[in-house]
Amino acid sequence: MRCCLTWWDLTWFGFGSVIGAGIFVLTGQEARDHAGPAIVLSYVASGLSAMLSVFCYTEFAVEIPVAGGSFAYIRVELGDAAAFVAAANLILESVIGKAEVARSWTSYLASLVNKPASALRIRAPSLAEGYNELDPIAVAVIAVTACVAMLSSKGTSRVNWVASAVHVLVIAFVIVAGFLHAKPSNLTPFMPYGVPGVFRAAAIVYFAYGGFDNIATMAEETRNPSRDIPLGLLGSMSAITAIYCVMALALSIMQPYTAIDRSAAYSAAFGSVGMRWAQHVVALGALKGMTTVLLVGVLGKARYATHIARSHIIPPVFALVHPRTGTPVHATALVAAASAAVALFSSLKVLSSLLSASTLFIFMMMATALLVRRYYARGVTTRTHALRLAALLLLIIGSSVGIAAYWGTSSSPGRWQGYVVLVPAWAAGTLGIQLLVPLARTPKVWGVPLVPWLPSLSIATNVFLMGSLGKDAFVRFGVCTAVMLVYYVLVGLHATYDVAHGACGGEEDEEVNRDPTLPSHTGRD
């Protein structure tokens, strides 16, 4: 692909890919149902977890500047099987994420024309609840943004940063106008659903931070990845975290949490304080934001699909780059078509929790892959040290799962006995890696600080937030992953085996997927 992007492009891609349906839709939904005014704490918790993942993504993107994002990084460090599990969830995340944003687009369009959120959808009584409101407008929006993304990466960037700049002005208006109509009494009670409600909301609103990984997928098209990616990723996400917390506080202080509209929270809030003209400004700004999220989302996820196709896990036709536009047209069409099909049927309530489970799982795998990258290298790490690393990683992941399970299943979340065992076990696993396993690789340009503690904390926080989701999210997550694994056993496994043994032009694929920091390492353990 063409190297045409700078840190300026990546920073605005960060704003364009992240600020959209999450803050404008999920804030109202979760403040009303799970967190109350403490929704601001939910954004703080999920923001801290997201920043830990951003550190991991940044190091990988600088060291391995290819289009595959987390799929490519996990494939290099953990092998094909783990990479496919990541690929299955990446595809799931991209399809569901775009579908959810597109459904939200329709809700805010209805708010703009003074109609109920579901007024522009077609009701189908014969279908199951949650899937019985058809949304052709969402399908049309996905199709239009996909066509724009196919034309040019640089042109898409220009459209994105202009639209995102306008969107930032709307956000500034929302914050200022919200605090001008503040009623401190609306913050009482601050935590009506208790601490569990805060973390349940944090797991759902984590979706609002999703999309920053799209920046990492643009590494192959970035002129100076070692400088531009850290600036674009860390800079944009730091600003976005602060914006989200302030916006959540502005909504909570404008009206009681029991009166917050679940579908178009900010528009309805301004209407409730007498600023009916402002609700149109907010709705229009939300539409702009969600449009850029769809635009950058299809751009980034198509790069994921491109790299997955390069490995032949999905048909290699989706890896083709158009000679005139320099964009992966087939991969873009694949992501858009699947997203449109889901958006046509599925409600926001069905989509949001499933998306969060998939996203959190991928970020947990990314942190694990980073620890493997730092502490294991073929031909450098001894067998004894490799076994120690594997055992200590299992201890970290196992104790993290235990903490999340104890929190989710304990009849009284305030009980502390289990944490006395589980938290020290997590700390012991992390300290063991630091003291008992020597570093095998040091980043050449930019690296995550405080290794192994920050990646280990990223594993723990992502697993904990996953544990805060309801059981329905895990049922859907498990079913979707199982379907993908069946596909892998019947199709993907054989295709990658053929490529690895030179039956399908293996040398070229090896060159694409090889870790540039290890010339002899192909990532095909």
Side-chain angles (χ1 to χ4, degrees), residues 422-444:
L422 294 168
V423 173
W426 169 83
T430 308
L431 184 62
I433 291 179
Q434 184 176 12
L435 299 179
L436 302 177
V437 184
L439 279 170
R441 186 188 287 106
T442 302
K444 296 178 181 178

Side-chain angles (χ1 to χ4, degrees), residues 36-38 40 177-192 248-257 273:
V40 65
F179 280 102
L180 288 177
H181 291 82
K183 292 183 179 180
S185 60
N186 290 332
L187 297 178
T188 304
F190 184 69
M191 202 179 293
L249 182 60
L251 176 65
S252 299
I253 208 169
M254 282 177 68
Q255 60 181 156
Y257 75 94
V273 296

Side-chain angles (χ1 to χ4, degrees), residues 212-235:
F212 68 81
D213 52 320
N214 290 324
I215 302 174
T217 67
M218 309 303 293
E220 189 173 314
E221 297 161 88
T222 302
R223 292 176 183 171
N224 187 353
S226 61
R227 181 198 65 186
D228 296 341
I229 291 174
L231 286 174
L233 258 174
L234 297 174

Side-chain angles (χ1 to χ4, degrees), residues 34-364:
H34 295 122
I39 186 67
V40 65
L41 298 182
S42 301
Y43 273 107
V44 171
S46 55
L48 290 175
S49 180
M51 285 302 297
L52 292 173
S53 298
V54 167
F55 277 114
C56 297
Y57 267 90
T58 302
E59 178 172 330
F60 272 116
V62 170
E63 294 285 305
I64 311 176
V66 295
S70 52
F71 169 74
Y73 312 146
I74 292 172
R75 191 171 188 234
V76 166
E77 301 305 331
L78 304 181
D80 277 349
F84 178 77
V85 175
N89 283 283
L90 281 168
I91 294 171
L92 182 66
E93 177 198 12
S94 64
V95 169
I96 293 174
K98 284 180 60 60
E100 178 161 24
V101 175
R103 297 278 297 196
S104 301
W105 202 98
T106 304
S107 296
Y108 266 89
L109 179 62
S111 174
L112 189 63
V113 296
N114 293 319
K115 291 183 178 294
S118 60
L120 300 181
R121 300 189 180 107
I122 302 171
R123 188 161 184 82
S126 59
L127 298 178
E129 185 66 28
Y131 304 90
N132 56 355
E133 290 188 353
L134 307 185
D135 197 336
I137 294 177
V139 174
V141 173
I142 290 174
V144 171
T145 54
C147 290
V148 173
M150 289 178 187
L151 296 177
S152 166
S153 296
K154 189 65 178 180
T156 302
S157 174
R158 293 191 183 102
V159 172
N160 171 71
W161 76 258
V162 171
S164 296
V166 174
H167 191 47
V168 169
L169 292 177
V170 173
I171 288 172
F173 167 78
V174 169
I175 293 172
V176 173
F179 280 102
L180 288 177
H181 291 82
K183 292 183 179 180
S185 60
N186 290 332
L187 297 178
T188 304
F190 184 69
M191 202 179 293
Y193 300 99
V195 176
V198 172
F199 283 109
R200 176 71 183 273
I204 299 296
V205 301
Y206 198 95
F207 166 64
Y209 292 97
F212 68 81
D213 52 320
N214 290 324
I215 302 174
T217 67
M218 309 303 293
E220 189 173 314
E221 297 161 88
T222 302
R223 292 176 183 171
N224 187 353
S226 61
R227 181 198 65 186
D228 296 341
I229 291 174
L231 286 174
L233 258 174
L234 297 174
S236 61
M237 284 303 295
S238 298
I240 288 166
T241 300
I243 288 172
Y244 278 180
C245 293
V246 177
M247 284 189 69
L249 182 60
L251 176 65
S252 299
I253 208 169
M254 282 177 68
Q255 60 181 156
Y257 75 94
T258 53
I260 292 176
D261 185 279
R262 290 182 177 89
S263 298
Y266 288 90
S267 293
F270 279 107
S272 70
V273 296
M275 295 180 66
R276 298 197 176 277
W277 61 271
Q279 72 182 77
H280 298 293
V281 175
V282 174
L284 188 60
L287 288 175
K288 284 180 177 291
M290 286 182 275
T291 302
T292 57
V293 167
L294 287 169
L295 185 61
V296 180
V298 73
L299 198 74
K301 300 310 181 186
R303 272 71 184 164
Y304 274 126
T306 298
H307 201 84
I308 293 169
R310 286 174 178 173
S311 71
H312 290 238
I313 288 179
I314 62 176
V317 67
F318 295 110
L320 297 179
V321 176
H322 196 280
R324 185 175 62 83
T325 65
T327 59
V329 174
H330 294 165
T332 305
L334 172 67
V335 172
S339 301
V342 175
L344 181 62
F345 294 99
S346 305
S347 69
L348 289 175
K349 186 175 181 180
V350 170
L351 293 173
S352 58
S353 60
L354 177 57
L355 178 64
S356 293
S358 178
T359 303
L360 290 164
F361 179 75
I362 294 168
F363 291 167
M364 183 274 290

Side-chain angles (χ1 to χ4, degrees), residues 319-491:
L320 297 179
V321 176
H322 196 280
R324 185 175 62 83
T325 65
T327 59
V329 174
H330 294 165
T332 305
L334 172 67
V335 172
S339 301
V342 175
L344 181 62
F345 294 99
S346 305
S347 69
L348 289 175
K349 186 175 181 180
V350 170
L351 293 173
S352 58
S353 60
L354 177 57
L355 178 64
S356 293
S358 178
T359 303
L360 290 164
F361 179 75
I362 294 168
F363 291 167
M364 183 274 290
M365 291 188 68
M366 278 291 295
T368 304
L370 182 67
L371 287 174
V372 172
R373 179 172 182 81
R374 288 290 194 96
Y375 289 94
Y376 174 80
R378 186 188 303 172
V380 176
T381 305
T382 66
R383 179 178 177 80
T384 299
H385 289 146
L387 291 174
R388 285 181 189 171
L389 176 63
L392 292 167
L393 280 174
L394 286 175
L395 178 59
I396 290 171
I397 296 172
S399 58
S400 298
V401 171
I403 292 169
Y406 187 75
W407 173 268
T409 59
S410 175
S411 59
S412 176
R415 289 171 56 192
W416 51 268
Q417 292 89 342
Y419 305 123
V420 170
V421 176
L422 294 168
V423 173
W426 169 83
T430 308
L431 184 62
I433 291 179
Q434 184 176 12
L435 299 179
L436 302 177
V437 184
L439 279 170
R441 186 188 287 106
T442 302
K444 296 178 181 178
V445 179
W446 194 95
V448 176
L450 299 177
V451 172
W453 292 97
L454 284 188
S456 180
L457 185 60
S458 180
I459 293 173
T461 55
N462 284 314
V463 171
F464 182 81
L465 289 176
M466 283 184 70
S468 299
L469 295 169
K471 65 177 182 179
D472 290 345
F474 284 96
V475 171
R476 294 168 186 144
F477 172 73
V479 169
C480 292
T481 302
V483 170
M484 290 289 191
L485 286 174
V486 170
Y487 168 84
Y488 179 64
V489 171
L490 297 179
V491 180

